[in-house]
Every structure is written in structure tokens, then in C-alpha cells.
């Protein structure tokens, strides 16, 4: 097994993962809208830029100009990264992305080759659902795509939107995307006594021990910051978490 | 040689400036979003225009090499050629200045 | 000094102490979402003081042989006691569940009990006992309430409060690493046990012996219960230092400094 680790871009997450993602592994970042999936993904690529590990960001969702603007606001100059060949931003559709030329190369293969990319982000997997494929065909397509990236030894993050903003039911996808990746990270809103907070959960981490605690995280001007695990709180995974009586005692007794 | 060709292309675009705003819109769109790789159908969706109109309007862009057509699988996609980026930037700046100048002049005339 | 004077003296001290505690807790700076339970908890202690004050007023009126206010005071006291019991339950339920809505059925239940009590008392034509002799002391309200209503009222009012005491005691064992809260919850739950327990103990003792000594003990227990609450929020300096506990005054100062920062 390849024990080489890749930094996630968040010191706290690396610690939770026992040193970072395994090189070549794929990670699904699933979360409701606005939970910071894209930010987390760019942080991952930003870390690569610093470590001389170029990255490709494939977006089906945002126009590059939005990405440049939003990233710049957080201090990441994507255009500069592109100029120095440490980054590529591809805005396309899933059908174009998976299409192969006569030599069997995809657009992504070309980008990887062009900048010697080591990290890939696909934002987001939900768009593959619009390909009009059956459930099994779609699973097969994505599995093939993921395997292809694994063979190229690139570490991949794929985002996926969970429609439920809050609530006891949390289905990652109808297509079982979570089974096609090595790791699954969940970003979700939790209601805590009339306050909306965000919880960071590592649901699955293949091949290694990881922090199973539910951590609070915040989105700051410079990206996501994972904080300490929720203490004395129950029911976080149901979306409607409650502080325990011992936690409330601080305010009430 | 390449420079000459692109200048010629840009000049041509300037000539049709009054003819079609969409041509400029496409140019600016790709300049702002150089990473867009899509089919004509996809581009039409992104621009909020019909496929036929976009297909007609991008012909010039393809001719002068700002946009490139390539076949991937059964799809023909459009990609933006970033090598002319500096020139296009200058061109867009010039056009914006022209427009701004017109606006200032119009104001002055009103006074 | 007669035993009556002694009892009244202790009662005055107790009432004053509970008013001080209530006032002190009302001034507490609570987080906005906990403002209501915090106020209700303070009001509970104010009501405890008022009911003690009512007992004192009853005795004074009896002393002056004036019985015109007793029935009115009885009704007023009943309303306040029910409100107080609800406030205490509300506070405890929010503390344990964080959910204020859960208190609504309890509020409705207490209101129904209160209406039931007032309806039966009013329908029976209550009379104030003015003559010494017989089972009832002067100033007592004599009214006919069916046994099942009395039982229902006792169970309905006391069981939730006993639950409150037990729950708070349980919380004491869970509060590790929070010395101040642990100390306070211990004294609060002990005080509540004493408060409710003293009433039951003495009603049993009174019927068994009819002795004034038991009434004095009851009042002393009430006073002690009040002192426990007072010290819960104003711990003596040696306890503060030894067990790293802060008083209510220190707590408000800390919050004010944090707010300024």
C-alpha cells in the first residue's frame, strides 16, 4: 500500500486524517449548498501549489470568472497559478470531460500532462446525474473515471451536493457515489438551539485510522477552519443537535 | 506571422463590431472564462442564446483562431486560444475606452 | 419570647432572604436565548419569598383578629404557587432539553390544576376560621374539596417538583470539570429537597403531635434552604479559593469585561 500522504490544505484535517490523504486516493466531499465544498477543494489545490504539486480544477457549476473572483477574495490568485503552470481551470460538462479522442485521451488527461498535475478537483459529481444514464451505467462510468485517475496517481477530490439543508435524513446520493471513492467527508449544517453551525465529519477513510469526532468548522476570509470537536452536544448527525444539560448548565446554573 | 494573423483577425472583428454585439460578447466571455471547453450547444446555454445564432456568430472567432474546434469522441468542442490573450485584452480595453469616451461626449453634448 | 414570635421572626428572615436571592438572580446577565428560563428561575425564588410573606401576613392579621383578607390572599397565593411551580419546572426542562416548547403541556396541566382547585374552593363556599378550638387554627380557610381532587392536586404539583430535585441531583454527578456549576447545582437541589421536604415532614409531624417545636423546626429548615441558595450564588471566600468557584457577582464582572473586549 502506498503510504505517501498528501496534505489537505488544512492542518487540522491532516491531523484528523493521520497525516493527510493517501496519494492517489479519491475523496468525496458531500455537503449542502453553502457549506464550503468548493472552498475546501481550492484549499487542497492551494496547498499543492505551495508544495509544487500542480492541480486541475474541473467545474461544471461555476464560470471561471466567478471562481477567479471568489478565490481572489480568499487570497488565492488562480490566474497567477495558471500563468506559472501550477494550476488549470476547466469549465465544461461531464459529457465533454469523459469523452475520449482517438488516442483514448480525455481533456483532463491533457491538462494533467500539460502541467504535470498531481491533484484534481471535480466540482461537482452531481452533474453526472444529468448525463441521462441508468443507475448502473452511471455508477460504471464514474467508477471507470475514478479508476483512471487512480492509475495516473493523482489525488482527487470530488464534491457532491446533498439537497437536504438540515434534518434527520441525509442521503448522499441515489447513485451510491460514496461507494465509488476511498474517502467520504461530510460538511453539514446543524441546528444548535436556534443557531446554525457547521459540522465536519470524516465518514469514511479507507486504509487508515482517522478522527471520528464531529468537529465544528467555520468559513473565514481565508478559507475553512476546522475547530475543536463539538463537546457535550447530542444529535449532530440528525442535523438538529442539542447541547447536553451539562453544557447548558454553564449558562443556566 | 502569427501576430499578423491575429491582428488581422482582431481588426476584422472590430469591423463587424457594429454588426454584432454577440461576437464581442463571445470574445469577452472567453477572455473572462478561458477555461471553458464546451460544445456549441453548451456555449449557447451559457450565453443564453440559441444554438443556431451562436453557431453563426462564432464562425469569425474560429476563422481568426481565437476559438479552436476540436473533436473529442463524438463531440466537437470549442476551446479558447490563450496565446492571443494580451492582444485581446488590449482590444477589449480599447473598445471599453471608446464606449466610455462616447458616453462622456454624449454627456458633454447634452450640456 | 413566645414560640409564635420566634416562628414569625424566622419567617421574616426567610422571606427577606428569598427576596434577596430572587433580586440577585433577576439581575443576572443571561444569554438572550436563556433569558426566559433565567428570569423564571429568579421569579420562582421571589414567589417562595412572597408565599412566606403571605404566611407572615396571615399570622399578623390573625393577631389583630382581622379576617377580611384571608380568602383573597388564599386565592392569590394559590395562583402564585402554581405559577412558581411552573417557573421552576420550566427552568429545569429547558436546562435538560434546551427546548422551551416542551414546557407548554406542563403549563396547560398546571393551569388546569389551578382552575380545578379554585373552582372547587369557590363552589364549596370557603370560610375563614376565626375561633380557636377544633382541628383548624384561626385564619385557616375551611372548604370542602373531594379527596380525589386533593390527591390529584398533591400528586400533580409535587411529583414534577420531586422530579426536578432528582434531575438536578443527577446533574450534579454529570457536571465534571465545571466546579462552579457542580457546587451550585448541589446546593440548589439540596435546598429544593429541604423546601419541599420540610412541608411534608411538618404536616406529618403536626398531625402526629401538634407541637410548636415541629413548626419551629420547619421554619428553621426553610431558612436553612434559603441560606443554601444564597451561598450557592455567593460562596464564602474560602470555598471560592479552595474549590475554584466563582460567585454571581464575579460572573457578571467577567461577562462585562468580555463584552467590552
Amino acid at each position: 500500500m502506498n503510504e505517501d500522504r498528501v496534505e489537505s490544505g488544512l492542518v487540522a484535517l491532516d491531523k484528523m486524517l493521520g497525516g493527510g490523504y493517501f496519494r492517489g486516493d479519491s475523496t468525496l466531499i458531500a455537503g449542502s449548498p453553502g457549506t464550503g465544498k468548493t472552498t475546501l477543494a481550492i484549499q487542497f489545490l492551494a496547498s499543492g501549489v505551495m508544495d509544487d504539486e500542480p492541480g486541475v480544477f474541473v467545474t461544471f457549476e461555476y464560470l471561471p470568472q466567478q471562481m477567479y473572483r471568489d478565490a481572489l477574495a480568499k487570497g488565492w490568485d488562480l490566474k497567477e497559478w495558471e500563468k506559472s503552470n501550477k494550476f488549470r481551470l476547466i469549465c465544461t460538462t461531464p459529457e465533454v470531460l469523459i469523452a475520449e479522442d482517438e488516442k483514448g485521451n480525455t481533456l483532463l488527461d491533457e491538462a494533467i500532462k500539460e502541467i504535470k498535475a498531481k491533484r484534481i478537483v471535480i466540482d461537482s459529481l452531481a452533474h453526472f446525474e444529468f448525463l441521462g444514464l441508468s443507475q448502473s451505467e452511471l455508477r460504471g462510468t464514474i467508477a471507470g473515471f475514478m479508476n483512471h485517475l487512480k492509475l495516473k496517481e493523482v489525488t482527487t477530490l470530488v464534491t457532491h451536493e446533498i439537497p437536504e439543508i438540515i434534518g434527520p435524513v441525509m442521503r448522499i446520493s441515489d447513485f451510491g457515489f460514496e461507494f465509488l471513492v476511498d474517502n467520504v467527508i461530510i460538511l453539514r449544517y446543524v441546528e444548535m438551539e436556534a443557531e446554525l453551525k457547521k459540522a465536519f465529519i470524516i465518514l469514511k477513510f479507507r486504509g487508515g485510522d482517522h478522527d471520528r469526532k464531529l468537529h465544528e468548522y467555520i468559513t473565514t476570509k481565508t478559507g475553512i477552519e476546522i475547530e475543536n470537536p463539538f463537546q457535550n452536544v447530542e444529535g449532530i448527525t440528525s442535523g438538529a443537535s442539542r447541547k447536553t444539560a451539562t453544557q447548558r448548565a454553564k449558562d443556566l446554573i | 506571422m502569427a501576430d499578423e494573423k491575429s491582428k488581422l483577425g482582431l481588426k476584422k472583428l472590430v469591423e463587424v463590431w457594429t454588426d454584432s454585439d454577440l461576437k464581442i460578447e463571445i470574445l469577452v466571455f472567453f477572455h473572462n472564462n478561458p477555461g471553458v471547453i464546451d460544445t456549441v450547444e453548451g456555449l449557447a446555454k451559457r450565453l443564453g442564446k440559441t444554438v443556431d445564432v451562436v453557431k453563426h456568430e462564432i464562425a469569425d472567432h474560429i476563422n481568426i483562431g481565437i476559438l479552436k474546434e476540436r473533436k473529442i469522441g463524438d463531440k466537437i468542442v470549442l476551446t479558447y486560444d490563450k496565446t492571443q490573450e494580451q492582444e485581446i485584452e488590449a482590444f477589449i480595453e480599447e473598445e471599453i475606452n471608446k464606449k466610455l469616451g462616447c458616453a462622456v461626449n454624449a454627456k458633454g453634448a447634452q450640456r | 419570647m413566645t414560640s409564635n414570635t420566634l416562628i414569625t421572626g424566622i419567617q421574616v428572615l426567610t422571606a427577606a432572604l428569598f427576596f434577596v436571592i430572587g433580586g440577585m438572580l433577576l439581575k443576572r446577565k443571561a444569554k438572550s436565548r436563556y433569558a426566559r428560563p433565567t428570569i423564571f428561575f429568579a421569579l420562582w425564588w421571589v414567589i417562595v419569598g412572597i408565599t412566606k410573606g403571605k404566611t407572615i401576613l396571615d399570622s399578623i392579621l390573625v393577631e389583630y383578629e382581622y379576617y377580611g383578607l384571608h380568602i383573597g390572599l388564599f386565592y392569590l397565593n394559590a395562583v402564585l404557587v402554581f405559577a412558581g411551580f411552573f417557573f421552576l419546572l420550566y427552568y429545569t426542562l429547558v436546562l435538560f432539553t434546551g427546548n422551551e416548547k416542551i414546557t407548554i403541556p406542563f403549563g396547560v396541566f398546571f393551569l388546569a390544576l389551578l382552575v380545578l382547585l379554585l373552582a372547587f374552593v369557590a363552589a364549596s363556599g370557603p370560610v375563614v376560621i376565626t375561633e380557636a378550638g377544633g382541628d383548624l387554627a384561626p385564619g385557616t380557610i375551611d372548604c370542602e374539596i373531594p379527596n380525589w381532587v386533593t390527591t390529584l392536586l398533591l400528586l400533580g404539583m409535587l411529583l414534577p417538583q420531586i422530579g426536578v430535585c432528582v434531575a438536578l441531583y443527577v446533574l450534579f454527578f454529570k457536571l465534571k470539570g465545571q466546579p462552579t456549576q457542580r457546587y451550585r447545582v448541589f446546593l440548589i437541589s439540596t435546598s429544593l429537597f429541604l423546601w419541599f421536604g420540610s412541608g411534608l415532614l411538618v404536616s406529618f409531624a403536626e398531625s402526629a403531635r401538634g407541637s410548636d417545636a415541629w413548626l419551629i423546626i420547619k421554619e428553621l429548615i426553610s431558612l436553612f434552604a434559603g441560606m443554601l441558595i444564597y451561598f450557592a450564588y455567593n460562596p464564602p471566600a474560602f470555598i471560592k479559593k479552595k474549590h475554584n468557584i466563582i460567585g454571581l457577582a464575579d460572573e457578571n464582572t467577567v461577562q462585562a469585561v468580555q463584552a467590552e473586549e
Side-chain angles (χ1 to χ4, degrees):
Chain A
M1 184 180 286
N2 188 354
E3 283 293 330
D4 187 9
R5 299 284 190 128
V6 177
E7 283 180 12
S8 67
L10 286 83
V11 177
L13 177 55
D14 289 340
K15 210 172 160 190
M16 287 168 76
L17 294 169
Y21 303 115
F22 284 106
R23 186 171 300 283
D25 273 5
S26 53
T27 303
L28 178 72
I29 302 167
S32 311
T35 45
K37 300 180 293 294
T38 305
T39 305
L40 188 66
I42 299 180
Q43 264 174 288
F44 168 67
L45 295 185
S47 158
V49 169
M50 303 295 283
D51 288 351
D52 208 18
E53 288 194 355
V56 180
F57 193 107
V58 179
T59 174
F60 305 130
E61 225 162 276
Y62 299 102
L63 277 177
Q65 64 188 76
Q66 287 172 276
M67 295 278 306
Y68 294 136
R69 185 196 59 203
D70 296 347
L72 196 61
K74 288 191 159 55
W76 302 309
D77 193 341
L78 306 186
K79 282 186 179 173
E80 274 306 309
W81 296 354
E82 281 193 310
K83 276 182 192 162
S84 55
N85 279 332
K86 288 183 175 174
F87 178 76
R88 280 292 176 270
L89 180 55
I90 297 175
C91 173
T92 188
T93 58
E95 48 197 339
V96 172
L97 188 77
I98 58 172
E100 293 170 342
D101 65 11
E102 61 278 3
K103 289 177 188 163
N105 289 323
T106 64
L107 283 172
L108 190 55
D109 292 333
E110 285 176 13
I112 291 170
K113 198 175 171 187
E114 189 188 342
I115 60 166
K116 297 185 177 67
K118 301 277 182 214
R119 301 180 182 210
I120 304 291
V121 168
I122 311 288
D123 187 29
S124 78
L125 219 49
H127 288 250
F128 279 88
E129 290 178 16
F130 305 134
L131 284 174
L133 302 174
S134 70
Q135 195 161 326
S136 58
E137 284 171 336
L138 184 62
R139 276 181 65 118
T141 302
I142 292 175
F145 183 68
M146 291 299 178
N147 286 338
H148 181 67
L149 292 176
K150 200 178 257 295
L151 289 174
K152 289 203 169 290
E153 291 200 340
V154 289
T155 312
T156 309
L157 290 198
V158 285
T159 69
H160 181 60
E161 198 156 286
I162 300 173
E164 289 90 10
I165 305 267
I166 204 156
V169 180
M170 191 188 65
R171 193 173 44 200
I172 295 178
S173 82
D174 292 337
F175 298 89
F177 291 159
E178 59 272 35
F179 302 109
L180 306 175
V181 290
D182 300 300
N183 319 314
V184 177
I185 289 173
I186 307 283
L187 307 180
R188 75 168 311 187
Y189 291 111
V190 288
E191 188 191 343
M192 196 182 288
E193 302 195 330
E195 264 185 63
L196 211 52
K197 299 200 173 201
K198 291 176 190 169
F200 195 104
I201 309 159
I202 301 174
L203 198 68
K204 165 178 156 186
F205 187 59
R206 196 177 284 166
D209 198 16
H210 68 275
D211 187 339
R212 288 179 168 78
K213 291 193 185 86
L214 287 85
H215 288 250
E216 184 174 357
Y217 73 94
I218 51 169
T219 312
T220 69
K221 280 181 184 170
T222 54
I224 281 178
E225 279 178 21
I226 300 176
E227 302 195 323
N228 291 328
F230 285 102
Q231 296 282 349
N232 295 319
V233 182
E234 299 164 342
I236 285 183
T237 47
S238 71
S241 64
R242 303 171 303 278
K243 283 182 177 175
T244 57
T246 50
Q247 183 72 14
R248 271 188 298 273
K250 268 186 192 166
D251 300 312
L252 275 166
I253 290 178
Chain B
M1 188 72 188
D3 276 352
E4 268 176 37
K5 190 191 169 190
S6 65
K7 271 180 191 163
L8 214 78
L10 284 172
K11 205 178 164 196
K12 196 177 169 188
L13 261 182
V14 176
E15 281 167 8
V16 294
W17 168 254
T18 49
D19 181 44
S20 165
D21 277 358
L22 184 55
K23 281 192 170 64
I24 299 298
E25 207 176 300
I26 292 167
L27 180 70
V28 173
F29 174 83
F30 275 102
H31 174 69
N32 288 336
N33 302 288
V36 171
I37 302 173
D38 213 340
T39 56
V40 180
E41 291 78 11
L43 179 63
K45 270 188 204 162
R46 292 180 194 277
L47 294 168
K49 304 285 177 190
T50 60
V51 177
D52 287 343
V53 168
V54 173
K55 205 177 264 180
H56 178 260
E57 295 297 287
I58 58 167
D60 278 344
H61 300 74
I62 294 166
N63 279 340
I64 60 176
I66 293 171
L67 291 183
K68 286 197 163 93
E69 269 186 323
R70 58 175 293 194
K71 196 169 184 294
I72 301 179
D74 58 347
K75 309 222 171 297
I76 293 175
V77 295
L78 298 162
T79 57
Y80 178 64
D81 181 9
K82 283 191 222 168
T83 55
Q84 299 180 55
E85 199 166 57
Q86 279 187 335
E87 268 175 84
I88 289 168
E89 204 160 303
F91 163 74
I92 289 170
E93 215 169 278
E94 197 179 307
E95 286 306 311
I96 288 170
N97 284 338
K98 259 194 224 168
K99 279 208 159 185
L100 282 176
C102 285
V104 171
N105 287 340
K107 269 190 179 180
Q110 272 178 355
R111 279 180 198 158
Chain C
M1 189 187 278
T2 64
S3 58
N4 274 354
T5 318
L6 181 63
I7 289 169
T8 309
I10 302 170
Q11 284 175 337
V12 170
L13 268 178
T14 311
L17 191 56
F18 279 115
F19 281 129
V20 169
I21 293 163
M24 202 169 69
L25 289 172
L26 277 174
K27 282 185 205 154
R28 192 178 190 190
K29 290 182 180 74
K31 283 188 181 172
S32 59
R33 64 175 179 277
Y34 295 128
R36 196 178 293 153
T38 305
I39 290 171
F40 280 7
F41 187 55
L43 286 178
W44 151 255
W45 296 115
V46 172
I47 288 171
V48 169
I50 293 173
T51 56
K52 196 50 87 179
K54 183 255 175 196
T55 313
I56 299 163
L57 188 59
D58 275 352
S59 314
I60 294 168
L61 291 173
V62 169
E63 198 67 29
Y64 286 93
E65 294 185 0
Y66 179 71
Y67 297 99
L69 285 176
H70 279 88
I71 290 181
L73 286 173
F74 171 82
Y75 283 130
L76 183 66
N77 192 56
V79 172
L80 285 174
V81 166
F82 272 89
F85 277 15
F86 173 66
F87 290 162
L88 180 61
L89 191 64
Y90 184 101
Y91 168 81
T92 315
L93 285 171
V94 174
L95 173 64
F96 276 87
T97 65
N99 183 355
E100 293 189 59
K101 282 183 186 161
I102 206 170
T103 62
I104 294 171
F106 289 94
V108 173
F109 176 64
F110 277 135
L111 192 64
L113 281 186
L114 175 66
V115 171
L116 189 73
L117 171 69
L118 297 182
F120 271 98
V121 172
S124 70
V127 176
V128 189
I129 304 295
T130 55
E131 296 290 325
D135 287 347
L136 300 170
T140 313
I141 309 294
D142 186 19
C143 54
E144 292 285 324
I145 300 177
N147 280 341
W148 69 268
V149 176
T150 315
T151 313
L152 182 69
L153 284 169
L154 273 175
L155 289 178
M157 288 173 75
L158 284 179
L159 281 183
Q161 309 310 325
I162 290 168
V164 165
C165 298
V166 173
L168 289 174
Y169 258 128
V170 171
L171 190 59
F172 165 77
F173 293 103
K174 286 187 168 182
L175 282 169
K176 285 166 188 160
Q178 296 184 50
T180 301
Q181 277 64 37
R182 204 160 192 236
Y183 164 78
R184 285 180 188 172
V185 86
F186 178 72
L187 293 192
I188 292 168
S189 50
T190 307
S191 172
L192 288 172
F193 260 129
L194 288 175
W195 184 255
F196 293 118
S198 70
L200 289 175
L201 171 81
V202 174
S203 42
F204 164 73
E206 265 178 340
S207 58
R209 294 197 186 182
S211 154
D212 275 359
W214 283 104
L215 288 175
I216 295 169
I217 291 171
K218 178 197 171 188
E219 294 308 330
L220 284 173
I221 292 174
S222 296
L223 179 63
F224 184 63
M227 286 166 69
L228 286 183
I229 297 295
Y230 182 81
F231 285 121
Y233 289 97
N234 295 287
F238 76 92
I239 292 183
K240 273 190 190 178
K241 205 172 172 185
K242 193 175 176 190
H243 299 285
N244 195 24
I245 285 161
I246 60 162
L248 202 59
D250 313 317
E251 185 183 286
N252 287 344
T253 313
V254 169
Q255 283 182 359
V257 170
Q258 281 173 344
E260 275 173 27
E261 282 171 0

